[in-house]
Amino acid sequence: MFNTPITRHFTQTVMVGHIAVGGNAPVVVQSMTNTDTADISGTSEQIHDLWRAGSELVRLTVNTIEAAEAVPHIRDALDKRGCNVPLIGDFHFNGHKLLSSVPACAEALAKYRINPGNIGRASKRDEQFATLIEIACRYHKPIRIGVNWGSLDQEHLARMMDENSRMTTPRETEWVMREALITSALESAEKAEQLGLPRDKIILSCKLSGVQDLISTYQELASRCHYPLHLGLTEAGMGSKGIVASTAALSILLQQGIGDTLRISLTPEPGGDRSREVIVAQEILQTMGIRSFTPMVVACPGCGRTTSTVFQHLAQDIQSYLREQMPHWRKHYPGVETMRVAVMGCVVNGPGESRHANIGISLPGTGEVPVAPVYVDGIKTVTLKGERIAEEFQCIVDDYVRTHYTTTSLLNASQHPVTPLHPVTQIKSRQT
């Protein structure tokens, strides 16, 4: 596998709790709850699930006095469970009142997200924005100025539309809307700094639901500032549509070095697992070679040579098992997230892919001898057969993790370095 190095757009580092965003920090995975924040137990449980799935920041709605009063209790409940994930308060319309009325909420949150489009109208807008910034300064909290095209400041947009119409050669309406998003974010950031909020306490986002619009907007925004940028395709949708649209937009920006934190805004299936958005975000970053979160499983799609579904079940079971083990492995086996496992269905590509993985198994295809050779670090070590191939292969994976990812084994590896088969993409920072 050949990777082209990615040169990161230079941004200021912002600390959100103990998590660094921007600068040379890794791109951070974020998610958001969909529970009633006033439900302390339910919200705490969902945040814990998102954290276990790998979400490094979790945002929650703070829209009522009851929700604001619940936030410090949620923080306490998470701390008691050893979950130190920073919490971000999502404020719309009445954030200035809630943070002023419930100081414990302002203190418990690690960051405030505010939307310039719905802080207030006319003279109240500046007053209420100033209140939010003053509170952020008082508690030394960073903010994300999150502009969204569905709630763009209409006065700001109307002013820009009027200015455009008076031009000799007016721009297209779509360009004016994108420019309105960008200038809303940048002007709000400038006002925040004038009100005393340090530059290293500001993160920006300009979210849209159209892939091409999002790409163009962030490319322009990145060219005009060095604030860390939060990526996300807003209202991405359900299922494969939401995943494909988010991947298409964010992958292009990430490849260009744009983006310091991201959230995949998937609409969950009724009763679906909220942590799916975390997994998708991780898989985007990992398949691009930007970060590693969990061992990757390489599996063939199947064809007429693989009429048996054995390899499909084994690939699914192994992928689920690896992800389930990660909360434990992450603590005790550093580096295990870079492991690659191949589960192949026949002799065509099976042995080759298996040799190129840390651990690989080549299952028999239709008409092939009913045996499954296993390769460890490119060497055939054993041939499995019979009814317990899946269980035996899982034991081989467990043994490999225990023997290859201990602190001692990593130390030995550093003293005797070997060029990896699949080098991680190098990421550098550049100032623009």
Side-chain angles (χ1 to χ4, degrees), residues 309-320:
T309 60
V310 173
F311 85 95
Q312 298 171 354
H313 289 298
L314 180 57
Q316 183 179 51
D317 291 345
I318 287 295
Q319 180 72 79
S320 298

Side-chain angles (χ1 to χ4, degrees), residues 16 21 43 52 68 89 109 143 148 267 316 355 368 380 388 417 423:
V16 182
V21 176
T43 302
R52 277 184 57 84
L109 293 170
I143 64 168
N148 191 303
T267 303
Q316 183 179 51
R355 289 191 186 97
E368 295 178 9
K380 180 179 175 182
R388 293 180 53 81

Side-chain angles (χ1 to χ4, degrees), residues 113-269:
R113 188 268 183 162
I114 59 177
N115 185 338
N118 54 36
I119 290 176
R121 295 184 180 278
S123 60
K124 287 187 176 181
R125 181 189 184 283
D126 290 342
E127 178 185 342
Q128 291 167 186
F129 182 79
T131 299
L132 287 165
I133 300 304
E134 187 276 325
I135 293 171
C137 291
R138 185 190 315 163
Y139 292 99
H140 307 288
K141 305 292 183 178
I143 64 168
R144 170 161 69 92
I145 296 173
V147 185
N148 191 303
W149 83 323
S151 54
L152 181 59
D153 183 346
Q154 292 304 300
E155 295 176 6
H156 180 74
L157 177 60
R159 183 173 64 253
M160 292 195 63
M161 286 290 190
D162 289 342
E163 292 173 354
N164 184 62
S165 66
R166 290 194 294 267
M167 294 177 64
T168 304
T169 307
R171 299 275 197 142
E172 295 180 351
T173 300
E174 291 77 9
W175 180 91
V176 179
M177 286 194 66
R178 291 196 298 268
E179 183 66 12
L181 286 165
I182 295 167
T183 54
S184 177
L186 294 176
E187 289 175 7
S188 297
E190 183 179 358
K191 289 179 182 177
E193 288 194 55
Q194 291 172 354
L195 290 166
L197 190 67
R199 179 177 288 267
D200 64 0
K201 296 288 187 184
I202 300 173
I203 297 172
L204 300 185
S205 68
C206 290
K207 291 190 176 183
L208 304 95
S209 59
V211 170
Q212 296 295 345
D213 288 327
L214 187 85
I215 293 169
S216 298
T217 298
Y218 271 92
Q219 288 172 335
E220 181 64 21
L221 179 61
S223 73
R224 289 158 64 173
C225 75
H226 295 303
Y227 298 109
L229 301 181
H230 170 80
L231 299 185
L233 186 75
T234 190
E235 291 95 35
M238 296 182 68
S240 60
K241 184 271 178 184
I243 294 172
V244 170
S246 294
T247 304
L250 271 55
S251 295
I252 291 173
L253 292 170
L254 290 167
Q255 185 66 27
Q256 294 174 354
I258 298 171
D260 302 286
T261 175
L262 74 159
R263 185 225 170 176
I264 307 301
S265 300
L266 297 179
T267 303
E269 302 286 344

Side-chain angles (χ1 to χ4, degrees), residues 381-399:
T381 59
V382 67
T383 299
L384 304 180
K385 61 182 69 176
E387 300 297 323
R388 293 180 53 81
I389 287 178
E391 293 87 343
E392 291 174 4
F393 185 64
Q394 183 172 301
C395 290
I396 293 171
V397 172
D398 283 336
D399 184 65

Side-chain angles (χ1 to χ4, degrees), residues 280-322:
V280 173
Q282 291 178 331
E283 290 178 345
I284 290 173
L285 293 171
Q286 186 150 352
T287 54
M288 291 186 69
I290 293 173
R291 287 188 67 183
S292 294
F293 297 92
T294 190
M296 293 288 284
V297 174
V298 177
C300 66
C303 66
R305 299 177 63 95
T306 57
T307 53
S308 168
T309 60
V310 173
F311 85 95
Q312 298 171 354
H313 289 298
L314 180 57
Q316 183 179 51
D317 291 345
I318 287 295
Q319 180 72 79
S320 298
Y321 178 74
L322 295 174

